């Protein structure tokens, strides 16, 4: 069969960016009822993306780099939780590295209950006696709950596999501007994160530098986070499929991708305050990633930047790229479908 659009052709879509925003958008678009021809263009793929460096715990947080969580962002978060619950309860959970972990969240200031407390499992307040048993220092508030950690390299590999299996094609190259591909596609979906500062000249983007350490500590089975307002530090310990991630930092405006040994020493010292056993854990790797900071996420249609193609932007997620990814992907697909309807494309049954 052929799909009606002027010359009886299928719509052409390209997604630019190989991280979780780009791959999840591409893998869902290629299954659209409009049967588009979808191409993924990226300079880097897993394990060399910013997403691979993420802590990748689903823990909504508006501190510092994405502004207040508004209703739209809450919906993105809800959609991601719903999607991960469905994957976790499927036979794919092991292949994708979708891990459900218990969490202790500590703060040195009184914290109101979070809006997402009903999205996670078993949210509760932790009392003084329990904190003393764990030998945690005195804090003003502590919550316990269970949430998901995504093993990004496994998940991104699966998404790429889904994309190509469903007919998607991949081009590995760096675009200097969207004008290079203007007119080659009906829709261009821009998921280039911090790269959009140069690619589309968005000066609202800025780096939020994150440095982490991975260690072998198989005895650590629960996740931990402590926000210290006096030190202005966020300390976290996240067990994953193959290692344990220790962090972290959030240096706004810092472009350095070099390991800073002073920062590594500080991360290890802070983590060992809560888990002294980590002092003997073998270090696997130290890593630095630049989160795409922006006052608000940019997820919208842009008809002005190119002459012939319509652009949908999906970037600027700060440290919430994994927390928002599924909800943002569903919104990208809706914007693409609305555009295709407006241009007279005909929907047939989806491939899924």
């Amino acid at each position: 069969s052929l799909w009606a659009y002027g010359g009886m052709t299928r719509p052409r879509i390209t997604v630019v960016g190989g991280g979780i925003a780009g791959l999840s958008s591409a893998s869902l678009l290629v299954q659209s009822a409009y049967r588009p021809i979808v191409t993924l263009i990226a300079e880097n793929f897993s394990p060399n993306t910013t997403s691979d460096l993420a802590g990748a715990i689903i823990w909504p947080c508006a501190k510092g780099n994405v502004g207040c969580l508004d209703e739209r962002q809450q919906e993105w978060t809800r959609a991601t939780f719903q999607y991960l619950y469905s994957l976790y309860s499927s036979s794919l959970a092991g292949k994708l590295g979708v891990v459900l972990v218990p969490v202790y969240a500590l703060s040195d200031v009184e914290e109101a209950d979070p809006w997402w407390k009903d999205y996670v499992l078993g949210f509760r307040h932790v009392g003084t006696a329990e904190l003393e048993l764990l030998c945690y220092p005195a804090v003003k508030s502590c919550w316990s709950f269970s949430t998901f950690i995504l093993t990004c390299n496994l998940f991104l590999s699966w998404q790429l596999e889904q994309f190509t299996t469903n007919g998607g094609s991949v081009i590995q190259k760096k675009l200097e501007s969207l004008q290079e591909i203007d007119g080659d596609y009906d829709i261009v979906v821009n998921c280039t994160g911090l790269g959009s500062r140069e690619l589309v000249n968005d000066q609202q983007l800025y780096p939020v530098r994150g440095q982490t350490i991975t260690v072998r500590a198989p005895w650590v089975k629960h996740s931990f986070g402590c926000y210290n307002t006096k030190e202005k530090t966020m300390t976290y310990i996240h067990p994953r499929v193959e290692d344990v991630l220790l962090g972290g930092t959030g240096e706004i405006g810092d472009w350095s991708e070099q390991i800073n040994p002073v920062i590594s020493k500080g991360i290890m010292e802070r983590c060992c305050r809560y888990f002294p056993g980590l002092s003997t854990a073998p270090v696997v790797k130290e890593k630095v990633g630049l989160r795409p900071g922006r006052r608000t996420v940019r997820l919208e249609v842009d008809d002005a930047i190119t002459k012939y193609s319509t652009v949908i932007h999906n970037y600027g997620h700060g440290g919430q790229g994994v927390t928002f990814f599924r909800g943002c992907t569903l919104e990208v697909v809706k914007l693409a479908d609305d555009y295709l309807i407006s241009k007279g494309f005909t929907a047939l049954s989806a491939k899924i």
Side-chain angles (χ1 to χ4, degrees):
S1 300
L2 292 172
W3 291 266
Y5 172 59
M8 303 279 286
T9 55
R10 291 164 63 189
R12 295 159 303 155
I13 299 176
T14 188
V15 178
V16 187
I20 196 164
L23 263 175
S24 56
S25 297
S27 66
L28 212 54
L29 284 165
V30 80
Q31 299 175 72
S32 158
Y34 293 87
R35 298 288 178 90
I37 298 167
V38 184
T39 305
L40 178 64
I41 301 175
E43 180 184 9
N44 296 306
F45 294 93
S46 184
N48 301 311
T49 73
T50 303
S51 299
D52 288 285
L53 300 171
I57 187 168
I58 314 302
W59 187 339
C61 171
K63 285 188 176 70
N65 57 355
V66 288
C68 181
L69 286 177
D70 57 24
E71 283 184 20
R72 192 178 181 210
Q73 294 179 10
Q74 290 183 21
E75 172 55 30
W76 296 338
T77 303
R78 188 200 61 77
T80 301
F81 268 113
Q82 193 172 29
Y83 180 55
L84 292 179
Y85 277 120
S86 70
L87 290 179
Y88 183 71
S89 59
S90 78
S91 60
L92 288 168
K95 179 178 181 177
L96 308 190
V98 181
V99 185
L100 186 64
V101 292
V103 179
Y104 281 99
L106 284 64
S107 177
D108 65 346
V109 293
E110 290 287 349
E111 300 262 11
D113 282 3
W115 59 267
W116 43 264
K117 69 177 186 179
D118 293 329
Y119 292 5
V120 297
L121 295 179
F123 181 90
R124 66 185 176 88
H125 291 263
V126 177
T128 309
E130 187 170 343
L131 289 170
E132 286 175 354
L133 281 173
L134 293 164
C135 296
Y136 291 158
V139 290
K140 289 284 172 61
S141 90
C142 180
W143 308 324
S144 180
F145 54 89
S146 292
T147 189
F148 292 105
I149 289 178
L150 197 56
T151 312
C152 277
N153 62 317
L154 298 179
F155 185 74
L156 293 176
S157 297
W158 174 72
Q159 291 229 294
L160 187 59
E161 181 187 303
Q162 291 288 295
F163 175 67
T164 54
T165 298
N166 283 307
S169 57
V170 176
I171 298 171
Q172 185 159 14
K173 67 177 285 190
K174 181 180 181 180
L175 294 180
E176 300 301 331
S177 83
L178 294 183
Q179 280 64 40
E180 288 179 44
I181 54 173
D182 189 17
D184 294 344
Y185 304 94
D186 299 290
I187 298 172
V188 174
V189 182
N190 173 28
C191 302
T192 55
L194 194 56
S196 286
R197 189 178 161 94
E198 288 185 8
L199 186 68
V200 300
N201 195 30
D202 186 343
Q203 297 305 305
Q204 291 185 53
L205 278 164
Y206 54 87
V208 182
R209 184 181 179 279
Q211 184 167 321
T212 60
I213 305 168
T214 50
V215 297
R216 291 205 199 287
W219 65 89
V220 177
K221 298 296 185 189
H222 74 267
S223 201
F224 169 92
C226 181
Y227 189 66
N228 187 314
T229 56
K230 294 184 189 70
E231 293 179 0
K232 294 188 175 173
T233 56
M234 178 70 191
T235 302
Y236 55 79
I237 298 163
H238 300 321
R240 306 191 298 181
V241 171
E242 295 175 343
D243 55 29
V244 176
L245 185 76
L246 312 181
T249 66
E251 299 112 323
I252 292 173
D254 188 339
W255 287 92
S256 172
E257 294 184 75
Q258 301 300 309
I259 302 295
N260 182 328
V262 175
I263 290 174
S264 290
K265 185 170 181 283
I267 290 170
M268 188 60 82
E269 284 175 355
R270 295 199 314 271
C271 289
C272 287
R273 278 185 214 165
Y274 304 100
F275 286 68
L278 290 171
S279 61
T280 60
V283 171
V284 178
K285 200 162 190 180
E286 295 173 84
K287 297 180 181 179
V288 173
L290 303 179
R291 306 174 185 95
R294 198 174 186 274
R295 189 176 58 81
T296 57
V297 174
R298 190 177 187 193
L299 208 176
E300 63 183 4
V301 173
D302 181 357
D303 286 319
I305 193 167
T306 47
K307 189 174 180 182
Y308 303 106
S309 303
T310 284
V311 175
I312 299 171
H313 296 293
N314 178 22
Y315 66 80
H317 304 91
Q320 300 286 283
V322 177
T323 296
F324 291 163
F325 89 91
R326 182 63 177 185
C328 289
T329 297
L330 294 172
E331 195 164 320
V332 164
V333 171
K334 184 179 186 310
L335 291 172
D337 284 354
D338 289 347
Y339 173 80
L340 295 175
I341 290 167
S342 75
K343 294 298 180 184
F345 282 96
T346 304
L348 296 182
S349 60
K351 291 186 182 179
I352 52 170

